[in-house]
Coordinates of all heavy atoms in Angstrom, one line a residue:
M91 N 150.2 -42.0 134.9 CA 150.9 -41.1 135.7 C 152.0 -40.4 135.0 O 152.7 -41.0 134.2 CB 151.4 -41.9 137.0 CG 152.1 -40.9 137.9 SD 152.4 -41.9 139.4 CE 153.4 -40.7 140.2
A92 N 152.1 -39.1 135.2 CA 153.1 -38.3 134.5 C 154.5 -38.6 135.1 O 154.6 -38.8 136.3 CB 152.7 -36.8 134.5
F93 N 155.4 -38.5 134.2 CA 156.8 -38.6 134.7 C 157.4 -37.3 135.1 O 158.0 -37.2 136.1 CB 157.7 -39.2 133.5 CG 159.1 -39.4 133.8 CD1 159.6 -40.5 134.6 CD2 160.1 -38.4 133.5 CE1 160.9 -40.6 135.0 CE2 161.4 -38.6 133.8 CZ 161.8 -39.7 134.5
F94 N 157.2 -36.2 134.3 CA 157.8 -34.9 134.6 C 157.0 -34.2 135.6 O 155.7 -34.2 135.6 CB 158.0 -34.1 133.3 CG 158.9 -34.6 132.3 CD1 158.6 -35.2 131.1 CD2 160.3 -34.6 132.7 CE1 159.5 -35.6 130.3 CE2 161.3 -35.0 131.8 CZ 160.9 -35.6 130.6
T95 N 157.6 -33.4 136.4 CA 156.9 -32.5 137.4 C 156.4 -31.3 136.7 O 156.8 -30.9 135.6 CB 157.8 -32.1 138.5 OG1 158.8 -31.2 138.0 CG2 158.4 -33.3 139.3
E96 N 155.3 -30.7 137.2 CA 154.7 -29.6 136.6 C 155.8 -28.4 136.7 O 155.8 -27.5 135.8 CB 153.5 -29.1 137.4 CG 152.6 -28.2 136.6 CD 152.2 -28.7 135.2 OE1 152.1 -29.9 134.9 OE2 152.2 -27.9 134.2
N97 N 156.6 -28.3 137.8 CA 157.6 -27.2 137.8 C 158.6 -27.4 136.7 O 159.0 -26.4 136.1 CB 158.4 -27.4 139.2 CG 157.6 -26.9 140.3 OD1 156.6 -26.1 140.1 ND2 158.0 -27.3 141.6
F98 N 159.0 -28.6 136.3 CA 159.9 -28.8 135.2 C 159.2 -28.4 133.9 O 159.9 -27.6 133.2 CB 160.3 -30.3 135.1 CG 161.2 -30.6 133.9 CD1 162.5 -30.4 134.0 CD2 160.6 -31.1 132.8 CE1 163.3 -30.7 132.9 CE2 161.3 -31.4 131.7 CZ 162.7 -31.2 131.7
L99 N 158.0 -28.8 133.7 CA 157.3 -28.4 132.5 C 157.1 -26.9 132.4 O 157.2 -26.2 131.3 CB 156.0 -29.1 132.3 CG 156.1 -30.6 132.1 CD1 154.7 -31.3 132.1 CD2 156.8 -30.9 130.7
N100 N 156.8 -26.2 133.5 CA 156.7 -24.8 133.5 C 157.9 -24.1 133.1 O 157.9 -23.1 132.4 CB 156.2 -24.3 134.9 CG 154.7 -24.6 135.2 OD1 153.9 -24.7 134.2 ND2 154.3 -24.6 136.4
A101 N 159.0 -24.6 133.6 CA 160.3 -24.0 133.2 C 160.6 -24.2 131.8 O 161.2 -23.3 131.1 CB 161.5 -24.7 134.1
R102 N 160.2 -25.3 131.2 CA 160.4 -25.6 129.7 C 159.5 -24.6 129.0 O 159.9 -24.1 127.9 CB 160.1 -27.0 129.4 CG 161.0 -28.1 130.0 CD 162.4 -28.0 129.8 NE 163.2 -27.0 130.4 CZ 163.5 -26.9 131.8 NH1 163.3 -27.9 132.6 NH2 164.2 -25.9 132.2
R103 N 158.3 -24.4 129.4 CA 157.4 -23.4 128.8 C 158.1 -22.0 128.7 O 158.0 -21.3 127.7 CB 156.1 -23.3 129.4 CG 155.3 -24.6 129.2 CD 153.9 -24.6 129.9 NE 153.3 -25.9 129.9 CZ 153.2 -26.7 130.9 NH1 153.5 -26.3 132.1 NH2 152.6 -27.9 130.8
E104 N 158.7 -21.6 129.9 CA 159.3 -20.3 129.9 C 160.5 -20.3 129.0 O 160.7 -19.2 128.3 CB 159.8 -20.0 131.3 CG 158.7 -19.8 132.4 CD 158.1 -18.4 132.2 OE1 158.7 -17.5 131.5 OE2 156.9 -18.2 132.7
E105 N 161.2 -21.3 128.8 CA 162.4 -21.4 127.9 C 161.9 -21.2 126.5 O 162.5 -20.5 125.7 CB 163.1 -22.7 128.0 CG 164.0 -22.7 129.3 CD 164.7 -24.1 129.4 OE1 164.5 -25.0 128.5 OE2 165.5 -24.3 130.3
L106 N 160.9 -22.0 126.2 CA 160.3 -21.9 124.8 C 159.8 -20.5 124.5 O 160.0 -19.9 123.4 CB 159.1 -22.9 124.6 CG 158.4 -23.0 123.2 CD1 159.5 -23.3 122.1 CD2 157.4 -24.0 123.2
L107 N 159.1 -19.9 125.5 CA 158.6 -18.5 125.3 C 159.7 -17.5 125.0 O 159.6 -16.7 124.1 CB 157.9 -18.1 126.6 CG 157.2 -16.6 126.6 CD1 156.0 -16.6 125.7 CD2 156.8 -16.3 128.0
R108 N 160.9 -17.7 125.7 CA 162.0 -16.8 125.4 C 162.7 -17.1 124.2 O 163.2 -16.2 123.5 CB 163.0 -16.9 126.6 CG 162.6 -16.2 127.9 CD 163.7 -16.2 128.9 NE 164.3 -17.5 129.2 CZ 163.8 -18.3 130.1 NH1 162.8 -18.0 130.9 NH2 164.5 -19.5 130.3
S109 N 162.7 -18.4 123.7 CA 163.5 -18.7 122.6 C 162.9 -18.5 121.2 O 163.6 -18.2 120.3 CB 163.9 -20.2 122.6 OG 162.9 -21.0 122.5
V110 N 161.5 -18.6 121.1 CA 160.9 -18.2 119.9 C 161.0 -16.7 119.6 O 160.5 -15.9 120.5 CB 159.4 -18.7 119.7 CG1 159.4 -20.2 119.6 CG2 158.6 -18.3 120.8
D111 N 161.6 -16.3 118.6 CA 162.0 -14.8 118.5 C 161.4 -14.1 117.3 O 160.9 -13.1 117.4 CB 163.5 -14.8 118.4 CG 164.1 -13.4 118.5 OD1 163.7 -12.6 119.4 OD2 164.8 -13.0 117.5
R112 N 161.6 -14.7 116.1 CA 161.2 -14.1 114.9 C 160.2 -14.9 114.1 O 160.4 -16.1 113.8 CB 162.4 -13.8 114.0 CG 162.2 -12.9 112.8 CD 163.5 -12.5 112.2 NE 163.7 -13.3 111.0 CZ 164.8 -13.7 110.5 NH1 165.9 -13.5 111.2 NH2 164.9 -14.4 109.4
F113 N 159.1 -14.3 113.7 CA 158.0 -14.9 113.1 C 157.9 -14.3 111.7 O 157.8 -13.1 111.5 CB 156.6 -14.7 113.8 CG 156.6 -15.4 115.1 CD1 157.2 -14.8 116.2 CD2 155.9 -16.6 115.3 CE1 157.3 -15.4 117.5 CE2 155.9 -17.2 116.6 CZ 156.5 -16.6 117.7
Q114 N 157.9 -15.2 110.7 CA 157.8 -14.7 109.3 C 156.6 -15.3 108.6 O 156.0 -16.4 109.0 CB 159.1 -15.1 108.5 CG 160.3 -14.4 109.0 CD 161.4 -14.6 108.0 OE1 161.6 -15.7 107.5 NE2 162.2 -13.5 107.7
Y115 N 156.1 -14.6 107.5 CA 155.0 -15.1 106.8 C 155.4 -14.9 105.3 O 156.3 -14.1 104.9 CB 153.7 -14.3 107.1 CG 153.9 -12.8 106.9 CD1 153.5 -12.2 105.7 CD2 154.4 -12.0 107.9 CE1 153.6 -10.9 105.5 CE2 154.5 -10.6 107.7 CZ 154.2 -10.1 106.5 OH 154.3 -8.7 106.3
Q116 N 154.8 -15.6 104.4 CA 155.0 -15.6 103.0 C 153.7 -15.2 102.3 O 152.7 -15.7 102.6 CB 155.5 -17.0 102.5 CG 155.9 -17.0 101.1 CD 156.4 -18.4 100.7 OE1 155.7 -19.5 101.1 NE2 157.4 -18.6 99.9
I117 N 153.8 -14.3 101.3 CA 152.7 -13.8 100.6 C 152.8 -14.4 99.2 O 153.8 -14.2 98.5 CB 152.6 -12.3 100.6 CG1 152.5 -11.7 101.9 CG2 151.4 -11.8 99.7 CD1 151.2 -11.9 102.6
N118 N 151.7 -15.1 98.8 CA 151.6 -15.6 97.3 C 152.8 -16.4 96.9 O 153.2 -16.2 95.8 CB 151.3 -14.4 96.4 CG 150.0 -13.7 96.7 OD1 149.0 -14.2 97.2 ND2 150.1 -12.4 96.4
N119 N 153.3 -17.2 97.8 CA 154.5 -18.1 97.5 C 155.7 -17.2 97.2 O 156.6 -17.8 96.5 CB 154.1 -19.1 96.5 CG 153.2 -20.1 97.0 OD1 153.3 -20.6 98.1 ND2 152.2 -20.4 96.2
G120 N 155.8 -16.0 97.6 CA 156.9 -15.1 97.2 C 157.9 -14.9 98.4 O 158.2 -15.9 99.1
T121 N 158.2 -13.7 98.6 CA 159.2 -13.3 99.6 C 158.7 -13.5 101.0 O 157.5 -13.3 101.3 CB 159.6 -11.8 99.4 OG1 160.1 -11.7 98.0 CG2 160.7 -11.4 100.3
W122 N 159.6 -13.9 101.8 CA 159.3 -14.0 103.3 C 159.5 -12.6 103.9 O 160.4 -12.0 103.6 CB 160.2 -15.0 103.9 CG 159.9 -16.5 103.6 CD1 160.4 -17.2 102.5 CD2 158.9 -17.3 104.2 NE1 159.9 -18.4 102.5 CE2 159.0 -18.6 103.5 CE3 158.1 -17.2 105.3 CZ2 158.2 -19.6 103.8 CZ3 157.3 -18.3 105.7 CH2 157.3 -19.5 104.9
R123 N 158.5 -12.3 104.8 CA 158.6 -11.0 105.5 C 158.4 -11.3 107.0 O 157.8 -12.2 107.4 CB 157.4 -10.1 105.1 CG 157.4 -9.8 103.5 CD 156.1 -9.1 103.2 NE 156.1 -8.9 101.7 CZ 156.3 -7.8 101.1 NH1 156.7 -6.8 101.8 NH2 156.2 -7.8 99.8
D124 N 159.0 -10.4 107.8 CA 158.9 -10.5 109.3 C 157.5 -9.9 109.7 O 157.1 -8.9 109.3 CB 160.0 -9.7 109.9 CG 161.3 -10.3 109.8 OD1 161.4 -11.5 109.6 OD2 162.4 -9.6 110.0
G125 N 156.9 -10.7 110.6 CA 155.7 -10.2 111.2 C 156.0 -9.4 112.5 O 157.2 -9.5 113.0
E126 N 155.1 -8.6 112.9 CA 155.3 -7.9 114.2 C 154.6 -8.7 115.4 O 153.4 -8.9 115.4 CB 154.6 -6.5 114.1 CG 154.7 -5.7 115.3 CD 154.0 -4.4 115.2 OE1 153.7 -3.9 114.1 OE2 153.6 -3.9 116.3
V127 N 155.5 -9.0 116.3 CA 155.0 -9.8 117.5 C 154.3 -8.8 118.4 O 154.8 -7.8 118.9 CB 156.2 -10.4 118.2 CG1 155.6 -11.2 119.4 CG2 156.9 -11.4 117.3
N128 N 153.0 -9.0 118.5 CA 152.2 -8.2 119.4 C 152.3 -8.7 120.9 O 152.3 -7.8 121.8 CB 150.7 -8.2 119.0 CG 150.5 -7.5 117.8 OD1 151.3 -6.8 117.2 ND2 149.2 -7.6 117.3
D129 N 152.4 -10.0 121.1 CA 152.4 -10.5 122.4 C 152.8 -12.0 122.4 O 152.6 -12.7 121.5 CB 150.9 -10.5 123.0 CG 150.9 -10.8 124.5 OD1 151.9 -10.5 125.2 OD2 149.9 -11.3 125.0
K130 N 153.6 -12.4 123.4 CA 154.0 -13.7 123.7 C 153.7 -14.0 125.1 O 154.1 -13.2 126.0 CB 155.4 -14.0 123.4 CG 155.8 -13.9 122.0 CD 157.3 -14.4 121.7 CE 158.4 -13.8 122.7 NZ 159.7 -14.3 122.3
Q131 N 153.0 -15.1 125.4 CA 152.7 -15.5 126.8 C 152.4 -16.9 127.0 O 152.3 -17.7 126.0 CB 151.4 -14.6 127.2 CG 150.2 -14.9 126.4 CD 149.1 -14.0 126.8 OE1 148.6 -14.1 127.9 NE2 148.6 -13.2 125.9
I132 N 152.3 -17.3 128.2 CA 151.9 -18.7 128.6 C 150.5 -18.7 129.0 O 150.2 -17.9 129.9 CB 152.9 -19.2 129.6 CG1 154.3 -19.4 129.1 CG2 152.4 -20.7 130.1 CD1 155.4 -19.7 130.1
I133 N 149.7 -19.5 128.4 CA 148.3 -19.6 128.8 C 148.1 -21.1 129.1 O 148.0 -21.9 128.3 CB 147.4 -19.1 127.6 CG1 147.6 -17.7 127.3 CG2 145.9 -19.3 128.1 CD1 146.8 -17.2 126.1
G134 N 147.9 -21.3 130.4 CA 147.8 -22.7 130.9 C 149.0 -23.5 130.5 O 150.1 -23.2 131.0
T135 N 148.9 -24.5 129.7 CA 150.0 -25.4 129.3 C 150.5 -25.0 127.9 O 151.3 -25.7 127.3 CB 149.6 -26.9 129.3 OG1 148.5 -27.0 128.4 CG2 149.2 -27.3 130.7
D136 N 150.0 -23.9 127.3 CA 150.4 -23.5 126.0 C 151.3 -22.3 126.0 O 151.1 -21.3 126.8 CB 149.2 -23.1 125.2 CG 148.2 -24.2 125.0 OD1 148.6 -25.4 125.1 OD2 147.0 -24.0 124.8
V137 N 152.2 -22.2 125.1 CA 153.0 -21.1 124.8 C 152.3 -20.4 123.6 O 152.1 -21.1 122.5 CB 154.5 -21.4 124.5 CG1 155.2 -20.1 124.1 CG2 155.2 -22.0 125.7
V138 N 151.9 -19.1 123.7 CA 151.1 -18.5 122.7 C 151.7 -17.2 122.2 O 152.3 -16.4 123.0 CB 149.7 -18.2 123.2 CG1 148.8 -17.5 122.1 CG2 149.0 -19.5 123.7
A139 N 151.8 -17.0 120.9 CA 152.3 -15.8 120.3 C 151.3 -15.2 119.3 O 150.7 -15.9 118.5 CB 153.6 -16.0 119.6
F140 N 151.1 -13.9 119.3 CA 150.2 -13.2 118.4 C 151.1 -12.4 117.5 O 151.9 -11.5 118.0 CB 149.2 -12.3 119.2 CG 148.2 -13.1 120.0 CD1 148.5 -13.4 121.4 CD2 147.1 -13.6 119.5 CE1 147.6 -14.1 122.1 CE2 146.2 -14.3 120.2 CZ 146.4 -14.6 121.6
V141 N 150.9 -12.5 116.2 CA 151.8 -11.8 115.3 C 150.9 -11.1 114.3 O 150.0 -11.7 113.6 CB 152.7 -12.8 114.5 CG1 153.6 -12.2 113.5 CG2 153.5 -13.7 115.6
N142 N 151.2 -9.8 114.1 CA 150.5 -9.0 113.1 C 151.1 -9.1 111.7 O 152.3 -9.0 111.6 CB 150.5 -7.5 113.6 CG 149.7 -6.6 112.8 OD1 148.5 -6.9 112.5 ND2 150.3 -5.5 112.4
V143 N 150.2 -9.2 110.8 CA 150.6 -9.2 109.4 C 149.8 -8.1 108.6 O 148.6 -8.3 108.5 CB 150.3 -10.6 108.7 CG1 150.6 -10.6 107.2 CG2 151.0 -11.7 109.4
P144 N 150.5 -7.0 108.3 CA 149.8 -5.9 107.7 C 149.3 -6.1 106.3 O 149.8 -7.1 105.6 CB 150.9 -4.8 107.7 CG 152.1 -5.6 107.6 CD 152.0 -6.8 108.4
S145 N 148.3 -5.4 105.9 CA 147.8 -5.4 104.5 C 148.7 -4.6 103.6 O 149.3 -3.6 104.0 CB 146.4 -4.8 104.5 OG 145.9 -4.7 103.1
F146 N 148.8 -5.1 102.4 CA 149.6 -4.4 101.4 C 148.7 -3.6 100.4 O 149.2 -3.2 99.3 CB 150.6 -5.3 100.7 CG 151.6 -5.8 101.7 CD1 151.4 -7.1 102.2 CD2 152.7 -5.1 102.1 CE1 152.4 -7.6 103.1 CE2 153.6 -5.6 103.0 CZ 153.5 -6.8 103.5
G147 N 147.4 -3.5 100.7 CA 146.5 -2.8 99.8 C 145.9 -3.6 98.6 O 145.2 -3.0 97.8
T148 N 146.3 -4.8 98.5 CA 145.7 -5.7 97.4 C 145.4 -7.0 98.1 O 145.8 -7.4 99.1 CB 146.8 -6.0 96.3 OG1 147.9 -6.6 96.9 CG2 147.3 -4.7 95.7
A149 N 144.4 -7.7 97.4 CA 144.1 -9.0 97.9 C 145.3 -10.0 97.7 O 146.1 -9.8 96.8 CB 142.9 -9.6 97.0
D150 N 145.5 -10.8 98.7 CA 146.6 -11.8 98.7 C 146.3 -13.0 99.4 O 145.2 -13.1 100.0 CB 147.9 -11.1 99.1 CG 147.8 -10.6 100.6 OD1 147.0 -11.2 101.4 OD2 148.5 -9.7 100.9
V151 N 147.2 -13.9 99.4 CA 147.1 -15.2 100.2 C 148.4 -15.4 101.0 O 149.5 -15.3 100.5 CB 146.9 -16.4 99.3 CG1 146.8 -17.7 100.1 CG2 145.7 -16.2 98.4
I152 N 148.2 -15.5 102.3 CA 149.4 -15.9 103.1 C 149.6 -17.4 102.9 O 148.7 -18.2 103.2 CB 149.1 -15.6 104.6 CG1 148.9 -14.1 104.8 CG2 150.3 -16.0 105.5 CD1 148.5 -13.7 106.2
T153 N 150.7 -17.7 102.3 CA 151.0 -19.1 101.9 C 151.9 -19.9 102.8 O 152.1 -21.1 102.6 CB 151.5 -19.2 100.5 OG1 152.6 -18.3 100.4 CG2 150.4 -18.7 99.5
G154 N 152.5 -19.2 103.8 CA 153.5 -19.9 104.7 C 153.8 -19.1 105.9 O 153.7 -17.9 105.9
V155 N 154.1 -19.9 106.9 CA 154.6 -19.2 108.2 C 155.9 -20.0 108.6 O 156.0 -21.2 108.4 CB 153.6 -19.2 109.3 CG1 152.4 -18.2 108.9 CG2 153.1 -20.6 109.6
R156 N 156.8 -19.3 109.3 CA 157.9 -19.9 109.9 C 158.4 -19.1 111.1 O 158.1 -17.9 111.2 CB 159.0 -20.2 108.9 CG 159.6 -18.9 108.2 CD 160.7 -19.3 107.2 NE 161.3 -18.2 106.6 CZ 162.0 -18.2 105.5 NH1 162.2 -19.3 104.9 NH2 162.5 -17.1 105.0
I157 N 159.2 -19.8 111.9 CA 159.6 -19.2 113.2 C 161.0 -19.5 113.3 O 161.5 -20.6 113.1 CB 158.9 -19.8 114.4 CG1 157.3 -19.6 114.2 CG2 159.3 -19.2 115.7 CD1 156.5 -20.4 115.2
Y158 N 161.8 -18.5 113.8 CA 163.2 -18.7 114.1 C 163.4 -18.5 115.6 O 162.7 -17.7 116.2 CB 164.0 -17.6 113.4 CG 164.1 -17.8 111.9 CD1 163.2 -17.4 111.0 CD2 165.2 -18.6 111.4 CE1 163.3 -17.6 109.7 CE2 165.3 -18.8 110.0 CZ 164.3 -18.4 109.2 OH 164.4 -18.6 107.8
D159 N 164.4 -19.1 116.1 CA 164.8 -18.9 117.6 C 165.7 -17.7 117.8 O 166.0 -17.1 116.9 CB 165.3 -20.2 118.1 CG 166.8 -20.6 117.8 OD1 167.4 -19.7 117.0 OD2 167.3 -21.6 118.1
Q160 N 166.0 -17.5 119.0 CA 166.8 -16.3 119.4 C 168.2 -16.3 118.8 O 168.9 -15.3 118.7 CB 166.8 -16.2 120.8 CG 167.5 -17.4 121.5 CD 167.3 -17.4 123.0 OE1 166.5 -16.6 123.6 NE2 168.0 -18.3 123.7
Y161 N 168.7 -17.5 118.3 CA 170.0 -17.6 117.7 C 169.9 -17.6 116.2 O 171.0 -17.7 115.5 CB 170.7 -18.9 118.2 CG 170.7 -18.9 119.7 CD1 169.9 -19.8 120.4 CD2 171.6 -18.1 120.4 CE1 170.0 -19.9 121.8 CE2 171.6 -18.1 121.8 CZ 170.8 -19.0 122.5 OH 170.9 -19.0 123.8
G162 N 168.8 -17.4 115.6 CA 168.6 -17.4 114.1 C 168.4 -18.7 113.5 O 168.3 -18.8 112.2
A163 N 168.2 -19.7 114.3 CA 168.0 -21.0 113.7 C 166.5 -21.3 113.3 O 165.7 -20.8 114.2 CB 168.5 -22.2 114.6
L164 N 166.2 -21.9 112.2 CA 164.8 -22.1 111.9 C 164.2 -23.1 112.9 O 164.8 -24.2 113.1 CB 164.7 -22.7 110.5 CG 163.4 -23.0 110.0 CD1 162.5 -21.8 109.9 CD2 163.4 -23.7 108.7
A165 N 163.2 -22.8 113.6 CA 162.6 -23.6 114.6 C 161.5 -24.5 113.9 O 161.2 -25.6 114.4 CB 162.0 -22.8 115.7
G166 N 160.8 -23.9 113.0 CA 159.7 -24.7 112.3 C 159.0 -23.9 111.3 O 159.1 -22.6 111.3
Q167 N 158.3 -24.5 110.3 CA 157.6 -23.8 109.3 C 156.4 -24.7 108.9 O 156.4 -25.9 109.1 CB 158.5 -23.4 108.2 CG 158.9 -24.5 107.2 CD 159.8 -23.9 106.1 OE1 160.8 -23.2 106.4 NE2 159.5 -24.2 104.9
Q168 N 155.4 -24.0 108.2 CA 154.3 -24.7 107.7 C 153.7 -24.0 106.6 O 153.7 -22.7 106.6 CB 153.2 -24.8 108.9 CG 152.1 -25.7 108.5 CD 151.2 -26.0 109.8 OE1 151.0 -25.1 110.6 NE2 150.7 -27.1 109.8
A169 N 153.2 -24.7 105.6 CA 152.5 -24.1 104.5 C 151.0 -23.9 104.9 O 150.4 -24.8 105.6 CB 152.5 -25.0 103.3
I170 N 150.5 -22.7 104.6 CA 149.1 -22.4 105.0 C 148.4 -21.8 103.8 O 149.1 -21.5 102.8 CB 148.9 -21.6 106.2 CG1 149.5 -20.1 106.0 CG2 149.6 -22.2 107.5 CD1 149.2 -19.2 107.1
S171 N 147.2 -21.5 103.8 CA 146.5 -20.8 102.8 C 145.4 -19.9 103.4 O 144.3 -20.4 103.8 CB 145.8 -21.7 101.8 OG 145.2 -21.0 100.8
L172 N 145.7 -18.7 103.6 CA 144.9 -17.7 104.3 C 144.6 -16.6 103.3 O 145.5 -15.7 103.1 CB 145.5 -17.2 105.6 CG 144.7 -16.2 106.4 CD1 143.4 -16.7 106.8 CD2 145.5 -15.6 107.5
S173 N 143.4 -16.5 102.7 CA 143.1 -15.5 101.7 C 142.7 -14.3 102.4 O 141.9 -14.3 103.3 CB 142.0 -16.0 100.8 OG 142.4 -17.1 100.0
R174 N 143.1 -13.1 101.9 CA 142.7 -11.8 102.4 C 142.3 -10.9 101.3 O 142.7 -10.9 100.2 CB 143.9 -11.2 103.1 CG 144.5 -12.0 104.2 CD 145.5 -11.2 105.0 NE 146.6 -10.7 104.2 CZ 147.5 -9.9 104.6 NH1 147.5 -9.5 105.9 NH2 148.5 -9.4 103.9
S175 N 141.3 -10.0 101.7 CA 140.9 -8.9 100.7 C 141.9 -7.8 100.8 O 142.9 -7.9 101.7 CB 139.5 -8.4 101.0 OG 139.5 -7.6 102.1
S176 N 141.7 -6.8 100.0 CA 142.7 -5.7 100.0 C 142.6 -4.9 101.4 O 143.5 -4.1 101.7 CB 142.5 -4.7 98.9 OG 141.1 -4.2 98.9
L177 N 141.6 -5.1 102.1 CA 141.4 -4.3 103.4 C 141.8 -5.0 104.6 O 141.9 -4.4 105.7 CB 139.9 -3.9 103.5 CG 139.3 -3.1 102.3 CD1 137.9 -2.9 102.5 CD2 140.1 -1.8 102.1
N178 N 142.1 -6.3 104.5 CA 142.3 -7.1 105.7 C 143.7 -7.2 106.1 O 144.6 -7.5 105.3 CB 141.8 -8.5 105.5 CG 140.3 -8.7 105.3 OD1 139.9 -9.2 104.3 ND2 139.6 -8.2 106.3
T179 N 144.0 -6.9 107.4 CA 145.3 -7.3 108.0 C 145.1 -8.6 108.6 O 143.9 -9.1 108.5 CB 145.7 -6.3 109.1 OG1 144.7 -6.4 110.1 CG2 145.8 -4.9 108.6
A180 N 146.0 -9.3 109.1 CA 145.8 -10.6 109.8 C 146.6 -10.6 111.1 O 147.7 -9.9 111.3 CB 146.4 -11.7 108.9
L181 N 146.0 -11.2 112.1 CA 146.6 -11.4 113.4 C 146.7 -12.9 113.5 O 145.7 -13.6 113.6 CB 145.7 -10.8 114.5 CG 146.3 -11.0 115.9 CD1 147.7 -10.3 116.0 CD2 145.4 -10.5 116.9
L182 N 147.9 -13.4 113.4 CA 148.1 -14.9 113.5 C 148.4 -15.2 114.9 O 149.1 -14.6 115.6 CB 149.4 -15.3 112.6 CG 149.4 -14.9 111.2 CD1 150.7 -15.3 110.5 CD2 148.2 -15.6 110.4
R183 N 147.8 -16.4 115.3 CA 147.9 -16.9 116.6 C 148.7 -18.2 116.5 O 148.2 -19.1 115.9 CB 146.6 -17.1 117.4 CG 146.8 -17.7 118.7 CD 145.4 -18.0 119.4 NE 145.6 -18.7 120.6 CZ 144.8 -18.7 121.6 NH1 143.8 -17.8 121.6 NH2 145.1 -19.3 122.7
F184 N 149.9 -18.3 117.1 CA 150.6 -19.5 117.2 C 150.5 -20.1 118.6 O 150.7 -19.4 119.6 CB 152.1 -19.2 117.0 CG 152.4 -18.7 115.6 CD1 152.3 -17.4 115.2 CD2 152.8 -19.6 114.6 CE1 152.6 -16.9 113.9 CE2 153.1 -19.2 113.3 CZ 153.0 -17.9 113.0
T185 N 150.0 -21.3 118.7 CA 149.9 -22.0 120.0 C 150.7 -23.3 120.0 O 150.5 -24.1 119.1 CB 148.4 -22.3 120.2 OG1 147.6 -21.2 120.1 CG2 148.2 -23.0 121.6
F186 N 151.6 -23.3 121.0 CA 152.4 -24.5 121.2 C 152.1 -25.2 122.5 O 152.6 -24.7 123.6 CB 153.9 -24.1 121.2 CG 154.3 -23.2 120.0 CD1 154.5 -21.9 120.2 CD2 154.3 -23.7 118.7 CE1 154.8 -21.0 119.1 CE2 154.6 -22.9 117.6 CZ 154.9 -21.6 117.8
P187 N 151.3 -26.2 122.5 CA 151.0 -26.9 123.8 C 152.3 -27.7 124.2 O 152.9 -28.4 123.4 CB 149.9 -27.9 123.4 CG 149.9 -28.0 121.9 CD 150.7 -26.8 121.4
L188 N 152.6 -27.5 125.4 CA 153.7 -28.2 126.0 C 153.3 -29.0 127.2 O 153.2 -28.5 128.4 CB 154.9 -27.2 126.4 CG 156.2 -27.9 126.8 CD1 156.7 -28.8 125.7 CD2 157.2 -26.8 127.1
I189 N 152.8 -30.3 126.9 CA 152.3 -31.1 127.9 C 152.9 -32.5 127.8 O 153.5 -32.9 126.7 CB 150.7 -31.3 127.8 CG1 150.4 -31.9 126.5 CG2 150.1 -29.9 128.1 CD1 148.9 -32.1 126.3
E190 N 152.8 -33.3 128.8 CA 153.3 -34.7 128.8 C 152.1 -35.6 128.4 O 151.1 -35.6 129.1 CB 153.9 -35.1 130.1 CG 154.5 -36.5 130.1 CD 155.1 -36.8 131.4 OE1 155.1 -36.1 132.3 OE2 155.7 -38.0 131.4
A191 N 152.2 -36.4 127.4 CA 151.2 -37.4 127.1 C 151.3 -38.5 128.1 O 152.4 -39.0 128.4 CB 151.4 -37.9 125.7
T192 N 150.2 -38.9 128.6 CA 150.2 -40.1 129.5 C 149.4 -41.2 128.9 O 148.5 -40.9 128.1 CB 149.6 -39.6 130.9 OG1 148.3 -39.2 130.7 CG2 150.4 -38.5 131.6
T193 N 149.7 -42.4 129.3 CA 149.0 -43.5 128.8 C 148.2 -44.1 130.0 O 148.6 -44.0 131.2 CB 149.9 -44.6 128.3 OG1 150.8 -45.0 129.3 CG2 150.7 -44.2 127.1
D194 N 147.1 -44.5 129.7 CA 146.2 -45.1 130.8 C 146.4 -46.5 131.0 O 146.7 -47.3 130.2 CB 144.8 -44.8 130.5 CG 144.4 -43.3 130.5 OD1 145.1 -42.6 131.3 OD2 143.6 -42.9 129.7

């Protein structure tokens, strides 16, 4: 049985949605750049953000992503490896499930 009410969890999802503010990506382990947030929404129990990463006209590898909150604090980051051709843009989807784990 869950401890938190669904109303409480829905309010926390709304807070998370508002607080994630700036999404960055790293190309070829180099400089960090800001991505363009296309959409942020709550889908079921997930907070989801879609971020556009434009092409720079050459093949490259997206080697990292990170997120800052509305106050400029680093919320989280992760190393990734997403290879692109010179023609590919990227649309990154960030999904943050906010659920309560229950034990049976």
